[in-house]
Amino acid sequence: MPSGRNRHPLLDTALHIVKGALVVALRIPTARSTKSVDFKKGLPLRGAITVGPVTSEPNEEDKRRIQELVNDKVAANVPIRVFAVARQLAETTYGEAMYDDFGVPKSVTELRLVFIEKWNINANIFPVAQSTGACGRIDITKWKHNSNKNSLEVSFDLTPTEAYTDEQNVPLATEEALANDQVPAREMVLPPADVAGTHGTDEATETNGNPQNSQQHQQQHDPEGNPTGGGQRVTPWEVEADEETGIDYDKLIIQFGCSKITEDHISRIERLTKQRAHRFLRRGLFFSHRDLDMLLNAYEQGEPFYLYTGRGPSSEALHLGHLVPFWFTKWLQDAFNVPLVIQLTDDEKFLFKENLTVEECKRLAYENAKDILAIGFDKDKTFIFSDLDYIQTMYPLVLQIQKKVTYNQSRGIFGFTESDNIGKSAFPAVQAAPAFPACFPAMFGNRKDIMCLIPQAIDQDPYFRMTRDVAPRLGFNKPALIHSRFVPALQGNQTKMAGSQVASSIFVTDTPKEIKTKINKYAFSGGRATVEEHRELGADLSVDVSYQYLTYLMEDDQELKRIGDDYAAGRLLTGEVKQKLVDVLQPIIKAHQDARAKITDEDVRSFMDPTRFEGKKLI
Ligand code: TYM
């Protein structure tokens, strides 16, 4: 056993995380299976753990899984707890689970135990961080199997989050004083695989099997419990990014544990729909997914699916960013010819917005419905509903979902704190329910097997991580997800367009003059300080908001490329590019306003009436 000389609280924390992942993935016992540990201080921090018995080197799939489990445990930022207990009581409660192979001297009568809930427990004296997120990143760098000793040495590099590069700043777990009857049960401290009698239960599948499942794909939290993303913060309610670089979407894919949309996906969609992919797909605005391959495979085999998307009606008018998922959903509906359900979460907005009344939320839902219907969804295949209206039909399903999600999970995924109202913790089940066909008996009868695809911006992903975790436990398919980036605020990439900031957004109610003024006044420019400099160096397209809006809005690929090339080479000036955007955007918004003016109250009522689907074959 190494001395304390090279120890570092983050390396000790990492050991607990890696050990739990090895136990889960390789199905070795927690007890006495750590043969040795090793450390190297100085950056990068390095550690190694040798475990056994392991009869062969893990295959690539297992290695990938172990790394994923480690990533997920760091991302979940769960607490690391420490308490002292009489050795005898510890042994009665946990057997030998807390001992390494090298044990603890006989003379020790009180043990200091470190544990991560349902993951790992260990008796040792070394300081650890308060929560797993402090480790930042743990990259497994080497796997060394020793067939003589039946052991596996796993080496890793640790890159702490920036705030904790200085060891002194790492917030340490403090020892809890627990009375004997407060000592956590064995099931609390060991992964389900290691707890006799729990194999095959819900809990075992939750933390043991599929890495998509609950604890493992939770949002990362800072030590105060606020969701973070390593310098960026993306939640359903807030998006913030590095001031200089904006949102790092590749990093977000890793942190959230979703997958990139590739050229292969795009050409496959084109093959299946026999049409050119929407520009949002071609230009990478929709960039990430979960289980899209599975959905496309099934569709190819003739299996049906439906689309589900939504809007939280917190303001009178939608902004340009809100239109993105709806435009794209319309394209998907037409291209795949599938049913669509649209949820208006008036209940969510009541719970999350301090100043809104229930009546106002409901009114806004109807107003927003007109904007959404103006996009032109197929009436025979589209159902739009306000939660406040439709909750009675959804409620049995909502209850089933609520029963499968613990308060801890809800808090872990969404970052709720003790002072948040209790409605917030329960609400995610309402957004989850429409992902299951049982929510729409008039449309799908009692079929449980129909799959669901949910277009959304990536901020909504936490809701559907939870949904996907619950799905198999209620006998449903996991919904597939397709995520877009955010249309940035006019002021720049650092944050998304948000309805609450009038000057940051183009609204569907803006007049041509307002559009022109906002773009000219606020749209962040990637151009240079002087015309001479600009002509010489050209614009930085990656930060130029007008150019980015054009990439989302301009249909003509060649024209877009020409603008991009000319602007980047300094042949076009910012003012000219802004004018091009104004020319593209004004007619889009005007067409939207004209279409909306034609939507009557009767249209809204009719789209909101589920009984019109009864007796009709939608799938
Ligand atoms: P809400 O009203 O915040 O947003 C509606 C949809 O617009 C997306 N979005 C954006 N997309 C691109 N750029 C932006 N700047 C931008 N801002 C918002 C959101 O991701 C969302 O897809 N709780 C949800 C409503 C909801 C929902 C759903 C959304 C209920 N069920 C299923 C998607 C899928 C909400 O408040 O969305």
Side-chain angles (χ1 to χ4, degrees):
M1 184 174 168
S3 71
R5 196 163 40 89
N6 275 336
R7 312 268 328 192
H8 184 295
L10 291 180
L11 285 172
D12 268 290
T13 306
L15 277 183
H16 292 285
I17 297 170
V18 175
K19 171 77 187 280
L22 292 168
V23 167
V24 168
L26 303 178
R27 304 220 154 222
I28 55 175
T30 300
R32 301 256 179 217
S33 55
T34 301
K35 306 295 171 198
S36 64
V37 293
D38 202 357
F39 302 99
K40 185 191 126 318
K41 263 171 91 162
L43 291 176
L45 294 166
R46 289 221 156 112
I49 177 167
T50 303
V51 293
V54 178
T55 47
S56 59
E57 176 154 339
N59 60 30
E60 287 311 308
E61 170 68 8
D62 283 338
K63 287 179 184 172
R64 196 184 52 74
R65 171 120 196 280
I66 292 163
Q67 178 69 64
E68 240 175 37
L69 288 167
V70 168
N71 294 349
D72 292 335
K73 198 45 85 180
V74 174
N77 196 21
V78 291
I80 298 156
R81 295 180 53 191
V82 180
F83 64 99
V85 63
R87 183 170 189 156
Q88 209 172 11
L89 177 58
E91 291 186 352
T92 320
T93 314
Y94 311 117
E96 298 203 313
M98 61 283 179
Y99 292 138
D100 296 321
D101 195 28
F102 36 83
V104 169
K106 280 225 155 49
S107 54
V108 177
T109 55
E110 192 184 69
L111 299 180
R112 176 185 182 270
L113 298 183
V114 178
F115 81 97
I116 300 177
E117 196 177 313
K118 294 186 180 167
W119 197 247
N120 189 45
I121 186 162
N122 190 248
N124 74 50
I125 52 166
F126 300 104
V128 284
Q130 266 170 17
S131 57
T132 53
C135 287
R137 244 182 54 200
I138 301 171
D139 294 307
I140 297 177
T141 50
K142 213 163 82 194
W143 309 82
K144 200 164 136 199
H145 183 254
N146 182 327
S147 45
N148 291 332
K149 293 186 179 162
N150 263 352
S151 66
L152 175 73
E153 184 184 341
V154 178
S155 310
F156 56 86
D157 282 359
L158 189 152
T159 318
T161 46
E162 224 179 19
Y164 304 141
T165 40
D166 183 346
E167 187 182 339
Q168 305 303 321
N169 294 337
V170 176
L172 299 180
T174 46
E175 212 175 275
E176 297 171 41
L178 298 183
N180 283 355
D181 60 351
Q182 291 174 320
V183 164
R186 185 176 159 78
E187 294 74 31
M188 271 284 283
V189 302
L190 294 178
D194 208 8
V195 178
T198 59
H199 286 277
T201 64
D202 287 347
E203 224 161 37
T205 42
E206 181 189 288
T207 46
N208 199 20
N210 186 339
Q212 298 287 12
N213 283 342
S214 78
Q215 294 218 358
Q216 297 150 8
H217 272 263
Q218 290 174 352
Q219 171 102 343
Q220 184 176 338
H221 291 85
D222 68 20
E224 277 81 47
N226 301 312
T228 67
Q232 50 189 7
R233 185 181 158 87
V234 175
T235 78
W237 307 285
E238 206 171 2
V239 173
E240 254 173 41
D242 184 285
E243 279 215 5
E244 306 247 297
T245 53
I247 295 163
D248 182 338
Y249 286 100
D250 285 336
K251 205 161 160 193
L252 213 52
I253 283 186
I254 296 167
Q255 282 157 351
F256 279 13
C258 31
S259 310
K260 231 181 180 152
I261 291 180
T262 61
E263 286 303 320
D264 278 354
H265 291 112
I266 298 174
S267 46
R268 198 155 170 224
I269 290 173
E270 290 186 330
R271 241 183 1 245
L272 288 172
T273 61
K274 301 191 177 59
Q275 53 185 283
R276 186 148 193 243
H278 192 278
R279 61 178 187 278
F280 291 169
L281 268 177
R282 301 197 312 265
R283 299 190 190 145
L285 181 56
F286 276 81
F287 72 110
S288 148
H289 75 98
R290 290 182 194 269
D291 276 349
L292 184 61
D293 301 271
M294 223 163 77
L295 183 107
L296 295 176
N297 289 345
Y299 180 79
E300 209 161 23
Q301 309 288 317
E303 303 265 346
F305 75 88
Y306 70 100
L307 291 160
Y308 158 41
T309 194
R311 153 80 180 143
S314 56
S315 62
E316 199 81 32
L318 275 67
H319 59 59
L320 195 59
H322 292 134
L323 291 181
V324 161
F326 290 106
W327 278 331
F328 188 60
T329 302
K330 152 99 178 121
W331 181 81
L332 288 171
Q333 179 178 46
D334 293 345
F336 286 95
N337 187 22
V338 286
L340 160 68
V341 297
I342 301 172
Q343 180 180 46
L344 300 166
T345 51
D346 36 16
D347 51 347
E348 176 193 19
K349 291 302 146 179
F350 171 68
L351 290 166
F352 285 83
K353 293 268 168 180
E354 216 36 63
N355 299 324
L356 287 178
T357 62
V358 172
E359 294 71 28
E360 179 65 355
C361 291
K362 196 162 174 179
R363 189 187 70 78
L364 290 172
Y366 279 79
E367 285 307 310
N368 287 186
K370 289 184 183 164
D371 277 303
I372 293 167
L373 294 179
I375 288 167
F377 295 107
D378 178 350
K379 185 159 176 192
D380 292 335
K381 287 186 180 291
T382 304
F383 173 51
I384 184 164
F385 59 98
S386 115
D387 285 345
L388 285 164
D389 267 352
Y390 192 61
I391 194 71
Q392 191 175 351
T393 311
M394 290 194 278
Y395 201 47
L397 185 57
V398 168
L399 283 175
Q400 290 185 61
I401 298 165
Q402 286 175 342
K403 201 167 178 176
K404 293 278 184 229
V405 182
T406 64
Y407 174 57
N408 255 349
Q409 286 173 319
S410 185
R411 223 177 48 163
I413 297 167
F414 299 99
F416 300 133
T417 65
E418 276 158 22
S419 50
D420 277 309
N421 69 58
I422 57 173
K424 290 186 183 180
S425 303
F427 167 75
V430 182
Q431 185 154 329
F436 304 140
C439 199
F440 308 102
M443 297 174 87
F444 307 126
N446 51 16
R447 285 188 66 170
K448 279 190 115 181
D449 59 326
I450 304 169
M451 281 178 301
C452 176
L453 172 63
I454 313 179
Q456 61 198 276
I458 188 107
D459 61 333
Q460 299 296 309
D461 185 72
Y463 281 118
F464 300 112
R465 290 205 289 267
M466 188 200 88
T467 310
R468 286 167 53 86
D469 179 39
V470 170
R473 293 188 277 147
L474 292 179
F476 295 108
N477 292 313
K478 290 184 180 191
L481 317 180
I482 182 159
H483 303 117
S484 78
R485 294 164 191 262
F486 302 113
V487 174
L490 282 164
Q491 285 75 5
N493 273 339
Q494 296 77 3
T495 189
K496 67 166 186 168
M497 201 173 258
S500 51
Q501 285 142 19
V502 178
S504 81
S505 308
I506 303 288
F507 291 96
V508 294
T509 46
D510 284 350
T511 61
K513 189 157 173 266
E514 281 169 332
I515 293 172
K516 190 177 165 89
T517 310
K518 279 188 192 177
I519 290 171
N520 283 336
K521 198 163 164 190
Y522 299 118
F524 187 81
S525 165
R528 307 293 164 173
T530 63
V531 174
E532 295 69 44
E533 207 183 316
H534 184 83
R535 295 276 183 225
E536 191 191 326
L537 298 171
D540 179 354
L541 301 187
S542 69
V543 298
D544 192 276
V545 167
S546 304
Y547 177 73
Q548 283 176 22
Y549 285 11
L550 277 174
T551 64
Y552 300 148
L553 298 173
M554 184 171 251
E555 187 55 50
D556 186 335
D557 289 340
Q558 280 173 3
E559 169 74 350
L560 180 69
K561 182 169 179 327
R562 201 183 55 71
I563 295 173
D565 290 349
D566 285 353
Y567 195 24
R571 290 188 293 272
L572 274 178
L573 299 175
T574 296
E576 294 166 310
V577 173
K578 286 191 171 187
Q579 187 54 47
K580 286 191 189 297
L581 174 61
V582 171
D583 292 342
V584 169
L585 193 50
Q586 282 175 337
I588 290 177
I589 298 293
K590 171 78 169 58
H592 179 87
Q593 290 167 355
D594 291 347
R596 190 194 195 272
K598 293 201 185 93
I599 305 286
T600 62
D601 289 338
E602 185 44 40
D603 288 328
V604 177
R605 264 195 297 277
S606 172
F607 266 94
M608 286 190 163
D609 175 10
T611 60
R612 73 201 149 97
F613 297 109
E614 278 163 10
K616 294 204 179 122
K617 203 170 159 9
L618 269 178
I619 283 280

